[in-house]
Amino acid sequence: MSKLLRTARLLLLFLLVWVATATATAQTGLTYFITQVDSSIFPEVHFTLRAVDLGNKAVEGLNPSNLAVYENGEQVSDLEITPQSDGPITYLFVIDQGRNSNYQNFGLNNARLAITTLVSGGYFVDGRDTVQVLGRQNVNSDQTVTLLPPTQTATDLSTWAANFNFGRGSGATKGLLGVEDGVRRIQELIPVAGSRTAAILFITRYIEDPSATVAPTAAQNTGDAAASNYISVHVLQTDSNQVNKAALEILASASHGQYAAMRSNNYQSVVTSVYQAIAAQRAYYTVTYRSPGADSGQRQITINTPERPSEGAIGSYEITLQPPSIAFIEPVPNSTIRREAEFGADGTSMTFDTSRVRVIAEVGWPDGFARNLESAQLFANGNEEDSLQVAAGQTLLEFEWDVTDNITQGVSSVTLELRLADELGMLAQAELPVNIEVIIPATPTPAGPRVTPS
């Protein structure tokens, strides 16, 4: 084997190992968020699942072959994972209105269009997405104010932007604190951090306070705070010379967002790129499974591990279960089943009018949660008489009881017993007392020889 061939094979082996390792790392590096758990039609359970990678990007391509669901530490079966692409997004603008902001120089109409492109570009979905606008102002004091309350209506944003003058204050602003206030507002809008896409769009000329030497460290801290809440910060800098952009780049990078320099001649393409990147994060899943557990109480749902993970959001629900109930319909309690014999033509053999008895019972669910039955057996005085293969959803059960062994004349008591097991392993049994009366006619007198009169 030539040295070149050996080198090529080693390289191929290295690449295969690298791909396998990268795939495993990507899978184990995901964070999962379970919300909207619905157990109303238990044992079928539904929930919404969102997954993000280490860069806070929504993950696509999950399916039962690469994802497992555990309930109270037990892996579930009959798992269905349906991908969705219409997840909601929360957009929050923070507009820095410090004394040096000078949006007039950038162009007020340009600034307005940079915001409303979110609507005109088709990135905002009415009734699904949420948008809010904050301003960092320093008129009498440096503070964050609400410019547009949260809304799910696109025209609210467009109308507000058309009338906003982007005025600047008389003092320097701490723009990074405005971003931190934005993180807190999103926490109010999304109580389960990471369960939906959230982005802050920070529009600023540059950081006025703190100084250029301190701002990078402060920006790192702010970006980390956003990232820990699964919020990306996208920075749109309006200064044509990109003054003090280092802190703004750090802010975007630390939060897995984007930094972009906006100029009056390129802002349209810049914001379009940003909005496209955010809108691409709508992937989530609806997950359905059948619960395997019969215990009442709190249930915990986890992904790919039976234990509670350190990050993300687990699912939970509470259930109270009872065994199925059994109501006999036929025969009625303490009724008497007659078996009447008839002699054959030979005067010795007997046939009975009844050899099989139909036993009908109905299964109910006192806890309100209908399940499938795994087994149904009928016993008479402890002896198994019949068993059924029960179809999914079947509640009316019909058995055949063979009574041919009952040939002793008179009345005897029999205890019928029905035993059930549902799909969760919950057992139920019910007894039905009945009587069997065997009636045997008197033995016929043999006919004598025929006498012919002489």
Side-chain angles (χ1 to χ4, degrees):
M1 183 184 296
S2 69
K3 182 177 180 181
L4 181 60
L5 182 57
R6 285 196 301 270
T7 302
R9 288 187 174 182
L10 287 173
L11 180 59
L12 177 59
L13 178 62
F14 170 79
L15 288 174
L16 291 174
V17 172
W18 181 85
V19 168
T21 304
T23 302
T25 302
Q27 183 67 14
T28 57
L30 304 186
T31 304
Y32 302 96
F33 305 89
I34 298 174
T35 56
Q36 298 177 311
V37 178
D38 180 8
S39 60
S40 60
I41 55 172
F42 183 90
E44 191 168 280
V45 179
H46 306 264
F47 63 84
T48 297
L49 174 68
R50 184 169 184 265
V52 298
D53 61 19
L54 296 175
N56 194 29
K57 299 296 186 296
V59 175
E60 300 182 37
L62 298 182
N63 56 68
S65 68
N66 59 23
L67 186 141
V69 174
Y70 292 81
E71 186 181 275
N72 281 0
E74 182 178 353
Q75 187 171 351
V76 306
S77 58
D78 298 324
L79 182 64
E80 296 180 11
I81 302 174
T82 305
Q84 309 290 344
S85 58
D86 59 349
I89 297 177
T90 297
Y91 301 90
L92 191 142
F93 289 90
V94 177
I95 302 174
D96 192 356
Q97 296 177 259
R99 64 187 174 199
N100 296 321
S101 59
N102 197 15
Y103 292 105
Q104 187 77 40
N105 186 57
F106 177 74
L108 296 184
N109 195 50
N110 293 341
R112 294 187 183 106
L113 290 175
I115 294 173
T116 58
T117 296
L118 177 66
V119 174
S120 62
Y123 305 108
F124 186 89
V125 180
D126 263 7
R128 183 189 307 160
D129 296 340
T130 302
V131 64
Q132 182 174 8
V133 183
L134 304 180
R136 187 69 185 187
Q137 300 176 351
N138 190 345
V139 179
N140 297 315
S141 62
D142 183 28
Q143 60 181 329
T144 301
V145 299
T146 298
L147 300 177
L148 176 67
T151 179
Q152 291 187 306
T153 304
T155 55
D156 289 345
L157 178 66
S158 300
T159 301
W160 167 84
N163 295 281
F164 186 62
N165 63 9
F166 293 87
R168 52 180 171 174
S170 56
T173 54
K174 297 180 185 294
L176 293 173
L177 294 186
V179 174
E180 292 178 15
D181 286 334
V183 170
R184 284 186 282 272
R185 296 293 179 91
I186 288 179
Q187 287 176 313
E188 296 171 2
L189 295 172
I190 309 176
V192 181
S195 61
R196 61 187 291 177
T197 299
I200 292 176
L201 296 124
F202 182 40
I203 301 177
T204 183
R205 185 180 179 189
Y206 53 78
I207 300 297
E208 296 180 350
D209 186 11
S211 66
T213 57
V214 178
T217 300
Q220 180 71 51
N221 294 336
T222 301
D224 289 343
S228 66
N229 285 279
Y230 304 95
I231 301 168
S232 57
V233 180
H234 303 266
V235 178
L236 303 175
Q237 185 175 16
T238 61
D239 186 76
S240 59
N241 296 316
Q242 297 177 275
V243 172
N244 296 337
K245 76 169 185 176
L248 299 176
E249 289 179 318
I250 291 172
L251 173 63
S253 176
S255 64
H256 308 295
Q258 298 180 59
Y259 164 83
M262 286 200 307
R263 296 181 175 84
S264 58
N265 63 350
N266 78 340
Y267 73 90
Q268 198 73 54
S269 61
V270 165
V271 297
T272 295
S273 176
V274 171
Y275 294 147
Q276 284 177 342
I278 299 171
Q281 305 305 310
R282 294 188 183 273
Y284 70 101
Y285 304 84
T286 53
V287 181
T288 302
Y289 69 89
R290 291 189 78 82
S291 173
D295 295 334
S296 295
Q298 193 79 11
R299 304 285 185 90
Q300 175 178 285
I301 304 171
T302 55
I303 303 296
N304 284 352
T305 172
E307 306 297 331
R308 186 186 186 108
S310 59
E311 297 182 351
I314 67 167
S316 66
Y317 69 96
E318 190 167 355
I319 199 82
T320 299
L321 299 177
Q322 295 175 275
S325 63
I326 302 170
F328 284 100
I329 298 175
E330 185 182 328
V332 298
N334 299 306
S335 60
T336 298
I337 299 160
R338 292 168 57 91
R339 295 197 75 215
E340 189 167 355
E342 181 179 339
F343 282 98
D346 59 3
T348 58
S349 62
M350 287 187 301
T351 58
F352 286 86
D353 59 354
T354 302
S355 59
R356 295 183 180 277
V357 175
R358 186 172 64 173
V359 179
I360 301 176
E362 187 168 17
V363 180
W365 305 98
D367 53 23
F369 302 112
R371 279 100 68 186
N372 295 327
L373 295 176
E374 288 295 315
S375 64
Q377 299 167 291
L378 178 69
F379 294 80
N381 288 342
N383 298 312
E384 184 174 352
E385 297 291 338
D386 195 10
S387 63
L388 299 181
Q389 292 290 329
V390 186
Q394 181 179 347
T395 57
L396 194 65
L397 308 179
E398 183 173 332
F399 299 86
E400 279 195 351
W401 173 25
D402 185 347
V403 295
T404 55
D405 289 342
N406 293 270
I407 57 175
T408 303
Q409 179 155 305
V411 177
S412 58
S413 61
V414 179
T415 299
L416 297 177
E417 181 185 9
L418 179 55
R419 301 176 189 174
L420 303 177
D422 68 18
E423 63 182 288
L424 302 180
M426 300 192 81
L427 305 177
Q429 66 87 28
E431 295 182 349
L432 176 70
V434 295
N435 300 303
I436 291 185
E437 182 180 8
V438 178
I439 302 172
I440 301 176
T443 304
T445 301
R450 183 170 182 157
V451 177
T452 303
S454 56

